[in-house]
Short mmCIF file of all heavy atoms in Angstrom, two decimals:
data_model
loop_
_atom_site.label_atom_id
_atom_site.label_comp_id
_atom_site.label_asym_id
_atom_site.label_seq_id
_atom_site.Cartn_x
_atom_site.Cartn_y
_atom_site.Cartn_z
N SER A 767 -30.49 39.65 -29.84
CA SER A 767 -30.90 38.34 -29.34
C SER A 767 -30.03 37.27 -30.00
O SER A 767 -29.27 37.55 -30.94
CB SER A 767 -32.37 38.05 -29.67
OG SER A 767 -32.53 37.79 -31.06
N TRP A 768 -30.18 36.03 -29.51
CA TRP A 768 -29.45 34.93 -30.12
C TRP A 768 -29.93 34.72 -31.56
O TRP A 768 -29.13 34.42 -32.46
CB TRP A 768 -29.62 33.66 -29.29
CG TRP A 768 -28.79 32.51 -29.77
CD1 TRP A 768 -27.48 32.55 -30.18
CD2 TRP A 768 -29.19 31.15 -29.90
NE1 TRP A 768 -27.04 31.29 -30.55
CE2 TRP A 768 -28.08 30.41 -30.39
CE3 TRP A 768 -30.38 30.47 -29.64
CZ2 TRP A 768 -28.13 29.04 -30.62
CZ3 TRP A 768 -30.42 29.11 -29.86
CH2 TRP A 768 -29.31 28.40 -30.36
N LEU A 769 -31.23 34.89 -31.81
CA LEU A 769 -31.73 34.76 -33.17
C LEU A 769 -31.08 35.79 -34.10
O LEU A 769 -30.77 35.49 -35.26
CB LEU A 769 -33.25 34.92 -33.19
CG LEU A 769 -34.07 33.73 -32.71
CD1 LEU A 769 -35.56 34.11 -32.64
CD2 LEU A 769 -33.89 32.52 -33.62
N LEU A 770 -30.86 37.00 -33.59
CA LEU A 770 -30.18 38.00 -34.41
C LEU A 770 -28.73 37.61 -34.62
O LEU A 770 -28.18 37.81 -35.72
CB LEU A 770 -30.26 39.37 -33.73
CG LEU A 770 -29.63 40.52 -34.52
CD1 LEU A 770 -30.31 40.71 -35.88
CD2 LEU A 770 -29.67 41.82 -33.73
N ASP A 771 -28.08 37.03 -33.60
CA ASP A 771 -26.71 36.54 -33.77
C ASP A 771 -26.64 35.54 -34.92
O ASP A 771 -25.73 35.59 -35.76
CB ASP A 771 -26.22 35.86 -32.50
CG ASP A 771 -26.06 36.81 -31.32
OD1 ASP A 771 -26.06 38.04 -31.54
OD2 ASP A 771 -25.96 36.31 -30.19
N LEU A 772 -27.61 34.63 -34.96
CA LEU A 772 -27.63 33.61 -35.99
C LEU A 772 -27.92 34.21 -37.37
O LEU A 772 -27.36 33.78 -38.39
CB LEU A 772 -28.66 32.54 -35.64
CG LEU A 772 -28.42 31.78 -34.33
CD1 LEU A 772 -29.59 30.86 -34.03
CD2 LEU A 772 -27.12 30.98 -34.42
N THR A 773 -28.80 35.22 -37.39
CA THR A 773 -29.10 35.90 -38.65
C THR A 773 -27.86 36.61 -39.17
O THR A 773 -27.55 36.55 -40.37
CB THR A 773 -30.23 36.92 -38.44
OG1 THR A 773 -31.38 36.26 -37.91
CG2 THR A 773 -30.61 37.59 -39.75
N ALA A 774 -27.14 37.26 -38.28
CA ALA A 774 -25.91 37.95 -38.68
C ALA A 774 -24.90 36.95 -39.26
O ALA A 774 -24.23 37.24 -40.26
CB ALA A 774 -25.32 38.70 -37.48
N ALA A 775 -24.78 35.79 -38.63
CA ALA A 775 -23.86 34.77 -39.13
C ALA A 775 -24.27 34.29 -40.52
O ALA A 775 -23.43 34.13 -41.41
CB ALA A 775 -23.81 33.59 -38.16
N ALA A 776 -25.56 34.07 -40.72
CA ALA A 776 -26.04 33.60 -42.02
C ALA A 776 -25.79 34.64 -43.11
O ALA A 776 -25.35 34.29 -44.22
CB ALA A 776 -27.53 33.28 -41.93
N LEU A 777 -26.04 35.92 -42.81
CA LEU A 777 -25.85 36.98 -43.80
C LEU A 777 -24.37 37.20 -44.08
O LEU A 777 -23.99 37.55 -45.21
CB LEU A 777 -26.50 38.27 -43.32
CG LEU A 777 -28.03 38.27 -43.33
CD1 LEU A 777 -28.57 39.49 -42.59
CD2 LEU A 777 -28.56 38.26 -44.77
N ALA A 778 -23.52 37.02 -43.07
CA ALA A 778 -22.08 37.16 -43.29
C ALA A 778 -21.56 36.06 -44.21
O ALA A 778 -20.68 36.30 -45.05
CB ALA A 778 -21.34 37.13 -41.96
N GLN A 779 -22.11 34.86 -44.07
CA GLN A 779 -21.69 33.73 -44.90
C GLN A 779 -22.21 33.86 -46.33
O GLN A 779 -21.53 33.45 -47.28
CB GLN A 779 -22.19 32.43 -44.27
CG GLN A 779 -21.55 32.12 -42.92
CD GLN A 779 -22.34 31.10 -42.12
OE1 GLN A 779 -23.27 30.46 -42.65
NE2 GLN A 779 -22.00 30.94 -40.86
N ASP A 780 -23.41 34.42 -46.50
CA ASP A 780 -24.04 34.49 -47.82
C ASP A 780 -25.04 35.64 -47.82
O ASP A 780 -26.20 35.47 -47.45
CB ASP A 780 -24.75 33.16 -48.11
CG ASP A 780 -25.49 33.17 -49.45
OD1 ASP A 780 -25.35 34.15 -50.20
OD2 ASP A 780 -26.21 32.20 -49.72
N PRO A 781 -24.62 36.86 -48.18
CA PRO A 781 -25.48 38.03 -48.11
C PRO A 781 -26.80 37.89 -48.86
O PRO A 781 -27.81 38.50 -48.48
CB PRO A 781 -24.62 39.15 -48.72
CG PRO A 781 -23.22 38.70 -48.48
CD PRO A 781 -23.25 37.21 -48.63
N GLU A 782 -26.82 37.09 -49.94
CA GLU A 782 -28.05 36.92 -50.71
C GLU A 782 -28.85 35.70 -50.26
O GLU A 782 -29.94 35.45 -50.78
CB GLU A 782 -27.72 36.80 -52.20
CG GLU A 782 -27.08 38.05 -52.79
CD GLU A 782 -28.00 39.26 -52.69
OE1 GLU A 782 -29.23 39.09 -52.89
OE2 GLU A 782 -27.49 40.36 -52.42
N LEU A 783 -28.31 34.93 -49.32
CA LEU A 783 -28.95 33.70 -48.85
C LEU A 783 -29.35 32.81 -50.03
O LEU A 783 -30.45 32.25 -50.07
CB LEU A 783 -30.17 34.03 -47.97
CG LEU A 783 -29.88 34.91 -46.75
CD1 LEU A 783 -31.16 35.16 -45.95
CD2 LEU A 783 -28.81 34.29 -45.86
N ALA A 784 -28.45 32.70 -50.97
CA ALA A 784 -28.75 32.00 -52.22
C ALA A 784 -29.04 30.52 -52.01
O ALA A 784 -29.73 29.91 -52.84
CB ALA A 784 -27.59 32.19 -53.20
N ARG A 785 -28.52 29.94 -50.95
CA ARG A 785 -28.72 28.50 -50.75
C ARG A 785 -30.13 28.17 -50.27
O ARG A 785 -30.52 27.00 -50.23
CB ARG A 785 -27.70 27.97 -49.75
CG ARG A 785 -27.85 28.54 -48.35
CD ARG A 785 -26.92 27.85 -47.35
NE ARG A 785 -27.27 26.45 -47.19
CZ ARG A 785 -26.66 25.64 -46.33
NH1 ARG A 785 -25.65 26.09 -45.62
NH2 ARG A 785 -27.04 24.40 -46.20
N PHE A 786 -30.89 29.20 -49.89
CA PHE A 786 -32.23 28.96 -49.35
C PHE A 786 -33.30 29.37 -50.35
O PHE A 786 -33.19 30.40 -51.03
CB PHE A 786 -32.43 29.76 -48.05
CG PHE A 786 -31.47 29.38 -46.96
CD1 PHE A 786 -30.35 30.16 -46.70
CD2 PHE A 786 -31.67 28.24 -46.21
CE1 PHE A 786 -29.46 29.82 -45.71
CE2 PHE A 786 -30.78 27.88 -45.21
CZ PHE A 786 -29.67 28.67 -44.96
N GLU A 787 -34.34 28.56 -50.44
CA GLU A 787 -35.49 28.89 -51.28
C GLU A 787 -36.46 29.82 -50.56
O GLU A 787 -37.15 30.62 -51.17
CB GLU A 787 -36.22 27.62 -51.70
CG GLU A 787 -35.45 26.76 -52.70
CD GLU A 787 -35.31 27.43 -54.05
OE1 GLU A 787 -36.23 28.20 -54.42
OE2 GLU A 787 -34.30 27.22 -54.72
N GLY A 788 -36.56 29.66 -49.23
CA GLY A 788 -37.50 30.46 -48.46
C GLY A 788 -38.74 29.69 -48.04
O GLY A 788 -39.68 30.27 -47.49
N ALA A 789 -38.77 28.38 -48.28
CA ALA A 789 -39.89 27.56 -47.84
C ALA A 789 -39.69 27.23 -46.36
O ALA A 789 -38.70 26.61 -45.99
CB ALA A 789 -39.96 26.28 -48.66
N VAL A 790 -40.61 27.66 -45.52
CA VAL A 790 -40.47 27.53 -44.07
C VAL A 790 -41.52 26.56 -43.55
O VAL A 790 -42.72 26.78 -43.72
CB VAL A 790 -40.60 28.90 -43.38
CG1 VAL A 790 -40.33 28.77 -41.89
CG2 VAL A 790 -39.65 29.91 -44.02
N ALA A 791 -41.07 25.50 -42.89
CA ALA A 791 -41.99 24.46 -42.43
C ALA A 791 -42.82 24.94 -41.25
O ALA A 791 -42.38 25.72 -40.41
CB ALA A 791 -41.20 23.22 -42.04
N ASP A 792 -44.04 24.46 -41.19
CA ASP A 792 -44.90 24.60 -40.00
C ASP A 792 -44.74 23.30 -39.23
O ASP A 792 -45.33 22.28 -39.59
CB ASP A 792 -46.35 24.81 -40.44
CG ASP A 792 -47.35 24.45 -39.36
OD1 ASP A 792 -47.05 24.70 -38.17
OD2 ASP A 792 -48.41 23.89 -39.70
N SER A 793 -43.92 23.34 -38.17
CA SER A 793 -43.59 22.11 -37.46
C SER A 793 -44.63 21.71 -36.42
O SER A 793 -44.49 20.67 -35.79
CB SER A 793 -42.21 22.24 -36.80
OG SER A 793 -42.16 23.41 -36.00
N GLY A 794 -45.65 22.52 -36.23
CA GLY A 794 -46.75 22.13 -35.36
C GLY A 794 -46.96 23.01 -34.15
O GLY A 794 -48.10 23.30 -33.77
#
Side-chain angles (χ1 to χ4, degrees):
S767 72
W768 186 42
L769 283 173
L770 182 61
D771 294 345
L772 299 174
T773 304
L777 289 169
Q779 294 162 11
D780 178 6
E782 296 299 321
L783 303 180
R785 64 173 295 183
F786 300 100
E787 290 293 329
V790 185
D792 158 36
S793 53

